[in-house]
Each structure stands twice: as C-alpha cells, then as structure tokens.
C-alpha cells in the first residue's frame, strides 16, 4: 500500500491484516482523486472508517489543508500514527478514536470532501448515508465518496445527498454523492 501522487507520492504505508481492514485499492483511490484533483488543494477533508489512513494521507499528499480521520479500532489508530510519523505529518491530521455514527451525530464542522469506507463485514454504507442525511452540519456542495459491498443496496438519494455517479470495482461499488 502506498501514496499514489503528490507530496508523498510513491511512499509506502504501513498496513496489517484484519477482518475490519480492507484498504482502498490504488484503482479506487485513482478514481476518487482524478475527480477532485484540481479542487483538493486547500480543502478540509473528513475520512470516516479511516483504517490505515490511506485516503487521509492521499488527500494531504495532494494538498488538502486538513484531514479529520475517524477510526474506532485502537490497532488502526496505531497504524495511522505510524504512517503519520513516517511521512512527517503534524497538526494537519487529527484522529478521532470513536464510533463513526456517534461522531456524525455530534459533528459541528463542515468539510469540502468526505471519504467513507465502512467495513464490508458489517454492510453499513446505507446506514452511514442515512445518518449523514440527518446531520445538518454539511454545507451545499460538499462531496462524498463511499465504498460499499456489491451485495449492498445503495439509493440514489439520501435526504439532500444526491448520487453523482456510481461505479463497480470488482466486489465493491464506489458512489460519489454531492450535498444539494
């Protein structure tokens, strides 16, 4: 696993094997960041179910000004911190070691981009989207990318979140939503 492009491009990231970890593939990362490559610089980003921090580090590498990473697993938080240290990243990354749904229900900050990669074993992408639709913190124009199992049904709209695109990548779907 590595950072694809930008300031940290080509740098390897620490990873580990666990049931709750299924790092975003380079192919999916490329799909996400090709859509936002000219807008990510200076952006505020939220990375939900951060895992190893792969999407957070890719965003920072490409010029995001700040990333809030939410990850409940203590092992994953340790890995994120190892990767942060090896890349020399400081305050531009803040880690919240808490449940994602609880975090969303108390979130007071808006973001430019939200990355969501829930554990496939729990099939909770739709539940996360439903929770997001009930949170009024996020402003119009906020973009969200969510990975889900190909066996999980995703709607075209969740409240004021509308799907801009959905594409299959083997056993997963990548859905791109925008806040209307």
């Amino acid at each position: 696993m590595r950072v694809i492009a930008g300031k940290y491009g080509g740098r390897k990231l620490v990873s580990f094997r666990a049931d709750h970890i299924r790092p975003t593939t380079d192919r999916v990362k490329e799909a996400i960041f090709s859509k936002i490559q000219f807008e990510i610089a200076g952006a505020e980003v939220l990375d939900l179910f951060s895992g190893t921090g792969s999407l957070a580090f890719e965003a920072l590498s490409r010029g995001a000004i700040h990333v809030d990473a939410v990850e409940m697993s203590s092992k994953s938080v340790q890995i994120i911190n190892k990767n942060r240290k090896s890349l020399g990243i400081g305050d531009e990354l803040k880690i919240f070691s808490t449940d994602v749904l609880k975090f969303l229900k108390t979130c007071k900050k808006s973001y430019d981009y939200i990355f969501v990669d829930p554990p496939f074993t729990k099939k909770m992408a739709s539940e996360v989207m439903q929770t997001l639709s009930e949170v009024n913190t996020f402003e119009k124009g906020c973009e969200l990318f969510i990975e889900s199992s190909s066996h999980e049904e995703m709607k075209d709209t969740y409240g004021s979140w509308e799907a801009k695109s959905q594409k299959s990548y083997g056993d997963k779907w990548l859905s791109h939503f925008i806040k209307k």
Side-chain angles (χ1 to χ4, degrees):
M1 189 172 56
R2 66 187 173 99
V3 178
I4 298 171
K7 181 179 179 180
Y8 309 114
R11 302 272 303 270
K12 291 190 184 267
L13 296 173
V14 176
S15 187
F16 68 100
R17 296 186 67 87
D19 288 344
H20 73 285
I21 295 287
R22 183 201 28 77
T24 300
T25 64
D26 284 357
R27 187 171 166 215
V28 173
K29 278 198 287 189
E30 286 172 0
I32 292 170
F33 287 96
S34 70
K35 290 180 186 241
I36 61 174
Q37 65 184 334
F38 301 113
E39 293 86 24
I40 191 75
E44 293 275 345
V45 176
L46 177 60
D47 183 16
L48 301 174
F49 304 98
S50 196
T52 60
S54 175
L55 290 171
F57 296 122
E58 193 70 42
L60 289 169
S61 183
R62 293 174 185 245
I65 196 164
H66 183 85
V67 176
D68 285 338
V70 182
E71 176 55 60
M72 192 167 68
S73 163
S74 60
K75 179 70 173 170
S76 290
V77 170
Q78 288 174 1
I79 296 297
I80 293 169
N81 279 319
K82 283 182 184 178
N83 284 322
R84 165 193 241 165
K85 186 176 180 183
S86 76
L87 295 172
I89 292 173
D91 292 341
E92 59 270 36
L93 174 68
K94 184 171 182 179
I95 303 167
F96 293 86
S97 184
T98 187
D99 177 78
V100 165
L101 298 178
K102 287 180 185 175
F103 176 88
L104 288 173
K105 291 174 184 175
T106 61
C107 184
K108 303 286 185 233
K109 180 178 176 181
S110 187
Y111 298 88
D112 300 299
Y113 298 99
I114 302 172
F115 304 131
V116 188
D117 187 9
F120 274 20
T121 55
K122 296 190 179 176
K123 292 189 173 110
M124 60 187 297
S126 193
E127 179 182 4
V128 172
M129 288 305 301
Q130 186 60 45
T131 301
L132 279 160
S133 75
E134 297 165 4
V135 176
N136 294 322
T137 304
F138 306 107
E139 296 176 7
K140 181 180 177 180
C142 176
E143 294 185 54
L144 178 144
F145 294 87
I146 185 166
E147 296 178 55
S148 61
S149 164
S150 59
H151 303 290
E152 193 172 359
E153 184 179 338
M154 293 292 290
K155 300 177 189 175
D156 290 335
T157 60
Y158 290 89
S160 58
W161 291 96
E162 291 183 12
K164 195 171 179 181
S165 67
Q166 295 179 327
K167 186 169 181 187
S168 172
Y169 291 89
D171 68 340
K172 71 176 82 176
W173 281 90
L174 175 63
S175 301
H176 179 193
F177 286 85
I178 190 159
K179 177 84 171 182
K180 297 291 182 181

